[in-house]
Amino acid sequence: MKEYSVCYSLDLNYLEQLSCSIASMLSNARADESIKFYILCSDLNYEAQKQIETLRKIKQFEIEYIKVNNSDFSELPMLKEKGGNYAAYHVTKPTYYRFKLPDLLKNLNKVLYLDCDAIIKGNLEPLFMLDLKDYSAAAVIDADFEKEAERLGLSRYFNAGVMLINLEYWRENNISSKLFDFARLNKEKIIWQDQDILNSVLKNTIFEMPEIWNYQYFQYETPSPEAAAKSVILHLAGRFKPWIIPFESEIYDLYYEYLKLTPFKNKILQYRLNSSCRRLKN
C-alpha cells in the first residue's frame, strides 16, 4: 500500500473549497493508495469535521486535525493591509500556518501542501515519488514570475499553492525561524504574504516542477485550454473563483463536478444562476 501525506491550512470560510479539493483527490486516487490528510485550522469545529468526513464515501482516508494558534502569526504582514487593488484578492492568515510544519508534523519527512482551491484531476503518484534530496521543496514557476522575481531581486519566483515540502531539510536548516525572521524584517517589500517569503528564503533550493502539477489558469494573460486539460493539478489561483465571480467556464464546471460529491453540492445551482449565462471576456 502506497501511503501519501497531504496538508491543507484554512479557516472555516474555506470549508467548501477544502471539501471539493479533497473530493477531487480521492476520486482520482487508486485502490492501492492510502492518503492521510493533515488539516491546519484555528476554528475547525466538530460539525465541520463531520462534513469533511462524509467524503469517506468516495474513498477511505485518514485525517488529523491540528489546531493552530493565530496569535503565533500576528506580526506577519497581510495583503489586505496594502489596500487598493489588492483588496480584491483573498489571501488569509492560514497561508502562514505551513511555516510551522516541521514542528506540527514531527513524524513526517515529506508532505504535499495544497491550497484549498487546488483541483486534482489525475493520479499524484509521480509527484509523491519525487526524490527531493538536497532541495527544500518542489514547486511550479508562478504564472506572473517575471514581475514578482524582479520586484524581490530573485532569479525565479514559484507559486506556493502546490508544494512538496522536504520537512527534514527544513528542520536541518532551521527554515521556520528564517521564514518568520524574514517576514518581520521585510514587511514593506512583502505583498503576496507567504509566497513572497518562501521564495525569498528558499531561493535556489526549490526543485522546479513542470506546470502540469500546478496550472494557474486564471493567472495567465492568455490561458491555454490545452495546458489546462493536460494538467494533473488545476489551481484556481487569482481573483476569479466560482464562489466569488460566477460566470460560464469549463474550468468552473470542473469545480462543480467535484463539489457535487460534497455536503456543499446545493451551492452549485446558485453559482450557475449567478453566472446569468455570462462568459468572461479577455
Side-chain angles (χ1 to χ4, degrees), residues 148 151-154 156-157 178-179 182 186 189-190 193-204 206:
E148 304 303 342
R151 175 174 59 84
L152 293 170
L154 302 173
R156 299 182 299 173
Y157 186 88
K178 292 177 181 178
L179 293 170
F182 183 90
N186 297 274
K189 68 190 296 186
I190 294 168
Q193 292 191 194
D194 58 298
Q195 188 163 272
D196 279 3
I197 300 165
L198 287 162
N199 271 279
S200 298
V201 172
L202 300 181
K203 291 183 181 177
N204 299 321
I206 299 178

Side-chain angles (χ1 to χ4, degrees), residues 97-279:
Y97 294 171
R98 79 183 92 176
F99 285 9
K100 290 205 164 190
L101 280 179
D103 291 328
L104 296 174
L105 305 181
K106 292 182 178 179
N107 60 317
L108 297 182
N109 288 329
K110 182 168 65 175
V111 67
L112 175 63
Y113 175 90
L114 294 174
D115 279 354
C116 293
D117 56 359
I119 301 173
I120 316 305
K121 299 169 53 215
N123 186 264
L124 296 177
E125 181 179 8
L127 177 55
F128 282 109
M129 292 301 103
L130 279 178
D131 184 359
L132 295 180
K133 296 180 180 178
D134 296 325
Y135 292 102
S136 61
V140 174
I141 290 288
D142 191 76
D144 205 16
F145 75 95
E146 292 179 340
K147 179 181 70 174
E148 304 303 342
E150 181 179 3
R151 175 174 59 84
L152 293 170
L154 302 173
S155 59
R156 299 182 299 173
Y157 186 88
F158 294 89
N159 184 278
V162 178
M163 294 185 75
L164 186 66
I165 298 176
N166 184 346
L167 295 173
E168 188 174 17
Y169 181 101
W170 282 37
R171 294 186 189 103
E172 291 175 353
N173 292 276
N174 203 22
I175 297 299
S176 290
S177 293
K178 292 177 181 178
L179 293 170
F180 278 99
D181 289 344
F182 183 90
R184 295 187 188 101
L185 296 173
N186 297 274
K187 288 186 177 182
E188 294 305 314
K189 68 190 296 186
I190 294 168
I191 294 178
W192 301 115
Q193 292 191 194
D194 58 298
Q195 188 163 272
D196 279 3
I197 300 165
L198 287 162
N199 271 279
S200 298
V201 172
L202 300 181
K203 291 183 181 177
N204 299 321
T205 69
I206 299 178
F207 176 80
E208 183 179 336
M209 299 191 295
E211 67 179 10
I212 63 166
W213 299 113
N214 181 1
Y215 190 72
Q216 307 138 52
Y217 188 87
F218 291 113
Q219 285 192 274
Y220 288 101
E221 185 174 341
T222 306
S224 168
E226 293 78 16
K230 292 177 182 177
S231 66
V232 181
I233 300 179
L234 185 64
H235 187 188
L236 298 176
R239 292 184 296 121
F240 299 116
K241 316 279 192 185
W243 54 93
I244 297 175
I245 308 176
F247 54 86
E248 291 187 9
S249 164
E250 291 180 1
I251 302 303
Y252 283 11
D253 289 342
L254 183 63
Y255 177 79
Y256 301 146
E257 177 183 333
Y258 293 112
L259 190 61
K260 69 184 180 184
L261 303 176
T262 77
F264 304 94
K265 59 185 178 183
N266 62 315
K267 292 191 174 184
I268 298 174
L269 177 59
Q270 189 58 52
Y271 291 149
R272 291 197 182 278
L273 289 173
N274 289 344
S275 70
S276 302
C277 300
R278 289 182 291 118
R279 284 193 173 274

Side-chain angles (χ1 to χ4, degrees), residues 1 29-34 59:
M1 182 71 74
R30 295 200 295 255
D32 65 342
E33 294 174 327
S34 174
K59 177 180 170 62

